Amino acid sequence: MVVKSRIAALITHLQQGLLERDTPARLALLAALSGEHLLLLGPPGTAKSELARRLHTIVDDNRYFERLLTRFSVPEELFGPLSIKALEQDRYLRQTEGYLPETAIAFIDEIFKANSAILNSLLTILNERQFDNGSKRVKVPLIAVIAASNELPEGAELNALYDRFLLRFEVAPVQDESFTQLLTLNHNYQAPADADRLSTEDLTAIREGASSLLLSDALIRLLHSLRHFLAEQEIVVSDRRWRKVVKLLKVSAFCNGDNEAGLYDAWVLPHCLWQKPEQYGLLSQWLAQNIASDPGFNAELMTELVDSWQQRLDQDADPIVPALDEQGYQLYLDEQGQTVVEAQGQRQKRNELGDLLYRQPRVPNTSFTQDEIRNLGSNLDLYEPIMEQYQRQSALQPKAWPAAHIASRLRQLNERIAELKQYLVWLEQQLSGLTERLADHLWLEQTLATQAQRQLERQQQQLSQQNARLQELHHAFAALPVKD
C-alpha cells in the first residue's frame, strides 16, 4: 500500500533540479494519482516536457509517448499507422504499439493544434480511456496526459478538448531571483529505483481508497461559498467538472493520510476552475482568505449576526411604557431625576444661554444672572431665584414581556452560543500543533500554509469577541421585565 512518505519522496524526486516548478510537479503527480490530465500553458523552454518525462519514470509502466502537433498533424502520428496486412483482409486496423493508445504517460505539445481528424479519437481516449480500432472499442492503459500549449484554444470545436484537462497551470520563465541559479545549475535527473515506482495496483488502491472518503462539513460549506464567488465573477463551472474536482480533493486527502477531505485539500481548487489565466489570481486570493475558515462561521457574518441580536435587544428593552406607582398613578421625573406623582413642577428659570436667573426685590421686573450680579459688585444673597412652573417628563420603564417571548429569545441565543462554542473548540483543536501539521502536509505550499495559520489565529480572536458579546446579550435578555 502506498504511504504518505512514499508520495512525498516522489514529489521531491519530480522537483529535483527544477527551479520554481514545485506546484506543477505536485499537480502532475496528483493528475497521475487521480487519473486526470494536466495542461501546462506557457512559452517554450519552461520545462513542460521535462515534467512529463519525469512523471513517466515514477510509474512502473514505462510506456511513454510524446508528440508535437501542428495544424497538419494526421491521426497516424498519434494513433499509429494503418496495418497493411489488415487492409489486405478488408479490415481497418491501426498498429498502435508505441503510440498513444498503448501508453501510460503521454506528453502532447501544442495540444490545441489538434484538427477535426484527430479530435474525436483523442477525446475518447482522454475521457473514457477507450480507443476505436476498426470495429472494436478497446481499453487503453493511459494513466495521465500532460499537454502543453503557448496559447488558449480558439474555436468552439476545441472547447471540449480544453475541458478534458481538469488541472491547469500557467508556466512562466524563472524570475530574476532564480536567474543566477538557472545559469549555474548542474543537475542530471535520475529516475527513482524500481521499488519506489507506482504500480497499477498502487494507483488502483489510491483511487478506491479515496473514493470512500467523505467531504467534511466545513469543506462542503467552503465549496458552496466558492460557487457563489464564481457566479459573481462570471466563471462557469460545469457539474461534471465539480464532480471531478471532488475526486481530486479526496485523492489529496487520502494521500495525506486523512480520514476525510478537509479545508486544506482545497489547495488544488484554483488550478481546476479558471477558464482564463487572469482568473487564477482571483481564485488564489479568494482561497488564501478562506482556506482555513469555515464559511458558516465567517467573522464578518458572525459580527452581523451579533449586531442583529443587539438590535433585537434594543427594541425589546426600549422604555416606551409609562411607569406607575403601586396605586396605579402615573409617575414623573422631578428636577433631581426622582419619580413623583405630581405632573407639574417648579424650577428656577434660565435664560436662552442656560444661565440661572435672579431678581432684586426692589427691582421686581428685571432679571439678573450670577455674572451680572457679580459685575455690579453686589451680593447674591440680596437676590432671590426667579421660579417657573413646568410640565414634568413622564417616567418610563422597560416593557414587560410574556415569559414565552423571553424564553424564545434565550433559546435562540443558547443555540447560537452553543454552535459558536463548538466551532471555537474546533478552532482550538486546529491551532494545537498546527505549525507542525501544516509543515508536514503533503501538498500545501509554505506560503499558503502560513496564510492559513494566520487566518485561523485571527478568526479565533474575532469569534471569541463575538462569543463574549453573545454572552452579554443573553444576560441582558434574561434581565428584561416579565409580565406577572
Side-chain angles (χ1 to χ4, degrees), residues 95-134:
Q95 295 178 352
T96 56
E97 184 177 356
Y99 290 86
L100 185 59
E102 293 194 31
T103 191
I105 301 292
F107 176 70
I108 304 178
D109 202 0
E110 294 300 334
I111 182 73
F112 299 122
K113 297 289 175 60
N115 53 52
S116 57
I118 292 173
L119 274 178
N120 284 340
S121 294
L122 182 56
L123 289 172
T124 304
I125 289 177
L126 291 176
N127 195 50
E128 302 174 32
R129 299 299 199 281
Q130 293 181 336
F131 176 66
D132 292 320
N133 196 4

Side-chain angles (χ1 to χ4, degrees), residues 71 112-114 119 149 151-159 162:
R71 298 288 184 191
F112 299 122
K113 297 289 175 60
L119 274 178
S149 178
E151 57 191 4
L152 289 174
E154 296 180 1
E157 69 277 3
L158 292 174
N159 288 339
Y162 184 44

Side-chain angles (χ1 to χ4, degrees), residues 309-321 397-410 412 476-484:
W309 274 100
Q310 182 65 57
Q311 293 174 0
R312 295 182 198 179
L313 175 64
D314 294 341
Q315 293 170 358
D316 286 2
D318 190 10
I320 58 173
V321 180
Q397 64 183 11
K399 179 180 179 180
W401 293 94
H405 175 82
I406 301 297
S408 176
R409 294 289 205 214
L410 294 178
Q412 295 175 59
F477 273 109
L480 290 176
V482 180
K483 284 184 179 180
D484 295 334

Side-chain angles (χ1 to χ4, degrees), residues 29 127 221 272 470:
L29 180 56
N127 195 50
R221 286 189 286 267
C272 304
L470 283 177

Side-chain angles (χ1 to χ4, degrees), residues 36 127 159-160 162-166 168 223 226-227 230-231 234-247 269 272-275 279:
E36 293 297 337
N127 195 50
N159 288 339
Y162 184 44
D163 187 61
R164 292 302 186 272
F165 291 90
L166 181 60
R168 299 163 180 170
L223 294 175
L226 175 57
R227 192 181 190 207
L230 292 172
E234 298 182 349
I235 300 176
V236 179
V237 180
S238 67
D239 293 345
R240 177 177 62 187
R241 180 164 285 266
W242 278 117
R243 290 296 305 159
K244 286 180 172 289
V245 165
V246 168
K247 180 170 69 171
L269 293 175
C272 304
L273 302 176
W274 58 266
Q275 300 294 327
Q279 295 169 342

Side-chain angles (χ1 to χ4, degrees), residues 7 10 28 58 181 212 266 289 294 451 476:
I7 299 295
L10 291 175
I58 68 169
Q181 287 179 268
S212 65
Q289 296 170 351
D294 187 327
Q451 291 171 332

Side-chain angles (χ1 to χ4, degrees), residues 358-361 368 373 376 378-385:
Y358 299 84
R359 68 183 172 190
Q360 226 288 340
F368 303 87
I373 294 172
L376 291 173
S378 185
N379 192 334
L380 185 60
D381 293 340
L382 301 176
Y383 294 77
E384 60 185 26

